[in-house]
Amino acid sequence: MNTRLSRLVPLGCDGRRELRWLLWGLAAGFLVNLRFVPVYLSARSGLYVYSRGVRQLVPGAVIAPFSELLGWSLLGCFAAAAAMAVLAAWHYLTHFRGSRSIYTMRRLPDRWELPRRCLALPALGAAAYLLEAAALWGLDFLLYAAATPAQCLPGVWGF
């Protein structure tokens, strides 16, 4: 295992495996966010009517506010970020299993060794998930603002 990565996880834990799980969490957050696309396309199609095979914009039609269309699309990212608290607790509790390495960790000259091994990877994961949520929110809003006709946007763009 990479020595840098092994310093971020408790002794006996596989850092690569945990990193893979964090990456799966990022993918899951993205997949949950894909829910926004069909919801938005459905709302946008409600702005139009078909008359003799020609699509026409309904006069005075306004699309639903962005926050309403977004709904729970970012829930995957926020749930994964919240799960990092559980991972941090699990990292701490692993020091009490087996040979009880907690006693050794407390005697080390570097007093930050235990917090680093318990909190580094969960903090990195939480930051990555929140950054992903911000990026997905921005992409969703960009789609909302760019693909909706300007006259159909609600006041202050749906905030």
Side-chain angles (χ1 to χ4, degrees), residues 1-131:
M1 180 186 340
N2 187 346
T3 47
R4 277 199 248 165
L5 185 58
S6 66
R7 291 178 42 96
L8 301 180
V9 295
L11 295 171
C13 289
D14 184 6
R16 280 190 234 150
R17 185 185 70 211
E18 289 195 19
L19 200 56
R20 275 194 305 272
W21 278 106
L22 293 179
L23 293 175
W24 277 110
L26 286 171
F30 176 77
L31 290 175
V32 169
N33 184 261
L34 287 178
R35 167 215 174 264
F36 176 77
V37 176
V39 169
Y40 168 74
L41 292 175
S42 174
R44 191 182 73 173
S45 70
L47 300 174
Y48 297 94
V49 293
Y50 286 91
S51 174
R52 295 186 210 116
V54 177
R55 186 173 84 156
Q56 296 177 355
L57 191 60
V58 174
V62 176
I63 196 165
F66 174 71
S67 57
E68 185 179 314
L69 296 178
L70 188 64
W72 52 268
S73 295
L74 297 175
L75 185 64
C77 297
F78 295 133
M84 293 299 100
V86 175
L87 180 63
W90 183 78
H91 278 180
Y92 184 71
L93 291 175
T94 58
H95 289 93
F96 290 92
R97 292 187 315 183
S99 65
R100 300 233 179 210
S101 62
I102 189 69
Y103 299 123
T104 304
M105 295 300 288
R106 287 182 179 163
R107 289 191 319 239
L108 290 175
D110 182 7
R111 64 181 231 171
W112 296 107
E113 187 72 21
L114 180 63
R116 180 177 51 243
R117 288 185 180 270
C118 294
L119 300 175
L121 208 55
L124 177 69
Y129 294 135
L130 294 177
L131 186 63

